[in-house]
Amino acid sequence: MRVVAFFAPVDSDSTKIYLRLYMKVTGVKPLDALIAKLLMPFNVYVLHQDRRVVTSQAGDIMRDKLIHADAPIAMYRRIYLSDKELNKLLEKKSWGKGS
């Protein structure tokens, strides 16, 4: 059995999680699909338990200690922060032109 989770940022405070369960317990696709569907509420239960842990964490991402497996997170944050800084710069320039 393999559980694959995709985390998609919605905004600076929210993330949508997509779960996909892969399994070959019986080798019969319809039966395996049924078993996966029956197990999905358990995955949702575990995610809700994880939510309590995540929401109790400090919101300062600059202090996170990322490891090699977190490379996509680091890349997203670099892009997000550079876009944020670029938008601030553009806002300042547009205010300067109107004055």
Side-chain angles (χ1 to χ4, degrees):
M1 175 170 59
R2 185 173 28 164
V3 178
V4 178
F6 297 94
F7 300 86
V10 176
D11 56 31
S12 62
D13 295 324
S14 305
T15 300
K16 187 154 183 99
I17 302 172
Y18 298 92
L19 283 177
R20 180 86 186 185
L21 190 61
Y22 295 96
M23 56 189 321
K24 292 184 182 179
V25 176
T26 66
V28 179
K29 283 188 178 184
L31 190 54
D32 288 340
L34 177 65
I35 293 169
K37 196 168 239 185
L38 291 172
L39 288 175
M40 194 53 76
F42 176 73
N43 289 326
V44 172
Y45 176 75
V46 171
L47 279 174
H48 283 293
Q49 286 180 329
D50 291 347
R51 179 187 303 179
R52 283 186 237 135
V53 173
V54 171
T55 56
S56 69
Q57 302 298 309
D60 183 13
I61 64 170
M62 301 309 246
R63 296 184 337 177
D64 283 353
K65 297 199 183 340
L66 302 178
I67 61 172
H68 181 69
D70 297 326
I73 296 169
M75 182 173 63
Y76 171 78
R77 288 180 180 174
R78 271 196 300 276
I79 292 168
Y80 175 76
L81 290 174
S82 67
D83 284 349
K84 199 173 176 182
E85 290 171 10
L86 178 63
N87 285 333
K88 283 182 184 177
L89 181 64
L90 291 173
E91 284 176 12
K92 285 180 183 176
K93 286 188 177 186
S94 66
W95 281 100
K97 286 181 181 178
S99 316

